Amino acid sequence: MIHHLNCGSMMKLDATYDGPPPLNAVCHCLLVETERDGLVLIETGLGTDDVQRPQDSLAPEWVELAQPELRPAETALRQIEQLGYTASDVRHIALTHLDVDHCGGLPDFPEARVHVMEAELQAALKEAPSRRYRPAHWAHGPRWETYPPDGTGDEWAGFAGVRQLTGVQADLRLVPLGGHSAGHAGITVRDGEQWLLHAGDAYFYHQEIAVDAAHSHPLLDVVQLSAQVDESLRIANQARLREAATGGAGEERIRVLNAHDPWTYRSFTGA
Ligand SMILES: [Zn+2]
């Protein structure tokens, strides 16, 4: 069972074409109930400290840019409690990268093992405090599980260097998707007969990976362009995601999603 959670509403967006209603950008997280690995949380969105004391853990420039609504009820911890679980039921957290709106919930789950690319962790430790990386999110000393960039990962659906998460038996893999940050990755999880591929911030708007008339969103593109570390790699990975969304993995369909597109989030939740 996979729950789609919005762990942080942000700025209001209009679609670039007629039809979809205006919606607030989201922090799209996945909560995976597994048979043998407890709960696995893919992305955390903003955490309880972020929404209660943003001045302590978030950079003012980021707050101004993203316009987060900072609602306690939207944090992953509160939503997980609403489902009848406790923080310690979350045994693993997989992160696409360590920007505030992706790892802000880490302090709410101090016992979880945290899976992230080694290059991302090193960049965050080196650069913080910055607009994107905030030390408050790892001051509790997470149990990091890191993955080197040039290891012996597998080929999967046109992606290279794909790794099964260490110590996890369920089908959950880290998919290197560089460009947005130093060690950005997607996370793929089996969902019955199909795969979900959470692409994080590898793209910001569903039309970017559309087959016809692909284009970015003018407002989200400001964030995308100001944050990127490698533009050509980012664009190459968007092309690969477009192929994965249409071609699948062998016989199996892949549904690609990202962190902030509210229309994609709505396509999964209806809300
Ligand atoms: Zn983001």
Side-chain angles (χ1 to χ4, degrees):
M1 174 77 182
I2 300 178
H3 303 269
H4 293 257
L5 310 177
N6 168 20
C7 301
S9 295
M10 299 187 286
M11 66 174 110
K12 185 86 142 208
L13 300 171
D14 290 308
T16 55
Y17 53 96
D18 288 339
L23 293 171
N24 290 92
V26 297
C27 291
H28 191 161
C29 304
L30 303 175
L31 181 70
V32 186
E33 295 175 327
T34 71
E35 269 175 41
R36 283 168 290 192
D37 307 299
L39 296 179
V40 180
L41 183 60
I42 299 175
E43 301 272 76
T44 73
L46 296 175
T48 55
D49 285 346
D50 296 324
V51 301
Q52 280 155 12
R53 294 186 301 280
Q55 67 281 8
D56 293 343
S57 56
L58 303 174
E61 311 93 278
W62 182 83
V63 172
E64 197 179 321
L65 188 69
Q67 300 166 34
E69 297 200 336
L70 304 175
R71 295 189 205 153
E74 284 189 344
T75 59
L77 178 59
R78 295 289 167 256
Q79 295 193 66
I80 285 166
E81 288 170 348
Q82 281 291 318
L83 291 167
Y85 293 109
T86 62
S88 59
D89 293 323
V90 176
R91 294 190 12 219
H92 298 273
I93 295 175
L95 298 173
T96 61
H97 63 303
L98 293 169
D99 279 357
V100 290
D101 48 336
H102 300 260
C103 78
L106 283 185
D108 292 328
F109 306 98
E111 294 167 48
R113 283 166 77 176
V114 181
H115 303 260
V116 68
M117 297 287 280
E118 176 70 23
E120 184 69 16
L121 179 59
Q122 291 311 322
L125 295 176
K126 193 169 146 214
E127 288 174 33
S130 64
R131 189 178 82 185
R132 70 187 316 165
Y133 299 129
R134 309 301 289 178
H137 293 142
W138 49 81
H140 61 286
R143 300 167 63 198
W144 300 113
E145 196 72 61
T146 63
Y147 299 80
D150 53 354
T152 54
D154 301 320
E155 287 274 333
W156 178 81
F159 299 96
V162 177
R163 308 288 196 88
Q164 169 70 26
L165 295 191
T166 306
V168 174
Q169 295 186 55
D171 267 340
L172 269 148
R173 304 172 189 178
L174 213 56
V175 181
L177 282 177
H180 173 72
S181 64
H184 187 277
I187 296 139
T188 190
V189 56
R190 179 174 287 288
D191 181 19
E193 298 298 300
Q194 63 178 4
W195 292 90
L196 299 184
L197 173 52
H198 194 313
D201 285 352
Y203 70 101
F204 276 70
Y205 183 47
H206 57 275
Q207 285 297 328
E208 285 176 299
I209 60 161
V211 175
D212 296 318
H215 62 273
S216 59
H217 188 283
L219 213 52
L220 291 166
D221 216 25
V222 174
V223 184
Q224 176 158 254
L225 295 176
S226 71
Q228 67 183 0
V229 298
D230 186 335
E231 181 159 42
S232 57
L233 182 58
R234 178 177 70 74
I235 289 169
N237 277 325
Q238 287 187 352
R240 220 165 279 157
L241 287 165
R242 190 174 302 120
E243 283 168 26
T246 47
E251 297 291 295
E252 296 168 316
R253 181 183 180 211
I254 302 174
R255 284 190 78 183
V256 178
L257 58 127
N258 69 358
H260 302 306
D261 187 309
W263 299 284
T264 300
Y265 178 73
R266 212 165 74 135
S267 75
F268 285 97
T269 63

